[in-house]
Amino acid sequence: MEVARELRRALDQQELRVYYQPVHDLQDSRLVGVEALVRWEHPERGLVPPGEFIPIAERTGLIADIDAWVLDQSCRQMYQWLAQGAPLSFLAVNVSSRLFARRELYAQVAQVLHDTGLDPAFLELEVTESAVMDDPEDALEQLHRLRELGLRLAIDDFGTGYSSLLRLKRLPVQKLKIDQGFVAGLPWDEDDAAIVRVVIALAKSMGMQVHAEGIEQVEQARFLLEQGCDLGQGYWFGRPVPAHEVDWSRAPTISL
Ligand code: C2E
Ligand code: MG
Ligand code: MG
């Protein structure tokens, strides 16, 4: 209850921050996109990670306001970056499964795109498997409507929930994000390696892009590249940072 009350205040007093984590093309190591990740700059507790307040925000309904705020802020930022000539091709924003249940997502996203002026082709929304699989028919309809706005859709944390492959095939989704839990064991853990190979093959055969999260070591990036994974994100490439620390002008120095 107390955290919920504080969160309300955090929104009103602008204590939330959007951090951006770089996403690199594994083929040539270029920075190609960013993922927006929310933080709470608490006056006493310091920078609070989303894992500590998103679940509470979801239970209290505040999540709709938080996600709308993050979407608005990050779309404005992306608009600015593009205006400055940043070679970024996408901004990824997380969307809570709770927003799916409430069916107000379409109107919210349309509003933000209108307000910020960001070309929807640069926006990617990340949804989790469970958001989509809980009520597949409804989710399918909502995803198709979102796609009509001209944005792209990604499944986040793929492999941690349950997916019906039959349903996955019908989803208007352009990307699968391999969960960091599978990347952690690469390249030595044989189970992780097998799972990652299969997910990459699955995504490719369905015409989707594959994006791996949680890359902390160069060996992991190399394995993923060898297996045909398109994009990589993780501490090895760069941590989530405030907007002014995102250095899109730097030439790629990382070589796999
Ligand atoms: P996610 O969307 O899967 O984001 C990836 C998480 O992995 C981020 O944690 C990121 O900081 C972390 N990460 C990135 N690279 C590495 C790495 O190399 N090693 C390790 N160990 N971790 C890495 P973060 O920022 O704490 O966010 C956690 C989760 O909170 C996100 O997972 C997402 O589900 C949720 N979240 C974050 N921002 C938002 C938001 O604005 N709205 C909603 N609804 N959820 C959000
Ligand atoms: Mg995400
Ligand atoms: Mg994830």
Side-chain angles (χ1 to χ4, degrees), residues 71-124:
L71 187 66
D72 186 80
Q73 288 290 307
S74 56
C75 286
R76 278 177 210 285
Q77 182 59 62
M78 185 66 173
Y79 183 92
Q80 272 189 29
W81 275 327
L82 293 173
Q84 291 162 12
L88 296 171
S89 54
F90 67 90
L91 159 75
V93 182
N94 294 283
V95 171
S96 167
S97 58
R98 298 302 160 107
L99 271 63
F100 262 80
R102 294 166 52 151
R103 309 192 108 255
E104 55 205 79
L105 195 56
Y106 175 87
Q108 241 176 32
V109 177
Q111 183 72 47
V112 168
L113 286 170
H114 175 265
D115 292 350
T116 62
L118 179 68
D119 177 349
F122 289 94
L123 179 62
E124 189 170 284

Side-chain angles (χ1 to χ4, degrees), residues 35 44 64 100 133 154 162 172 195 219 230 248 250:
E35 177 174 8
E44 285 114 45
F100 262 80
M133 296 298 165
Y162 69 95
I195 290 168
E219 292 85 356
D230 304 300
W248 46 261
R250 199 186 59 190

Side-chain angles (χ1 to χ4, degrees), residues 100 103 131-133 135-148 153 166-173:
F100 262 80
R103 309 192 108 255
V132 175
M133 296 298 165
D135 187 350
E137 291 312 313
D138 182 55
L140 195 63
E141 193 195 314
Q142 293 201 55
L143 292 175
H144 275 292
R145 286 196 71 205
L146 285 168
R147 279 285 289 157
E148 285 167 14
L153 297 165
L166 211 56
R167 288 192 182 127
L168 189 65
K169 201 180 74 173
R170 290 173 58 209
L171 294 178
V173 161

Side-chain angles (χ1 to χ4, degrees), residues 35 94 126 156-158 177-180 213:
E35 177 174 8
N94 294 283
E126 296 190 359
D156 203 355
D157 305 340
F158 187 73
K177 289 189 79 173
I178 304 177
D179 188 69
Q180 55 188 61
E213 302 189 81

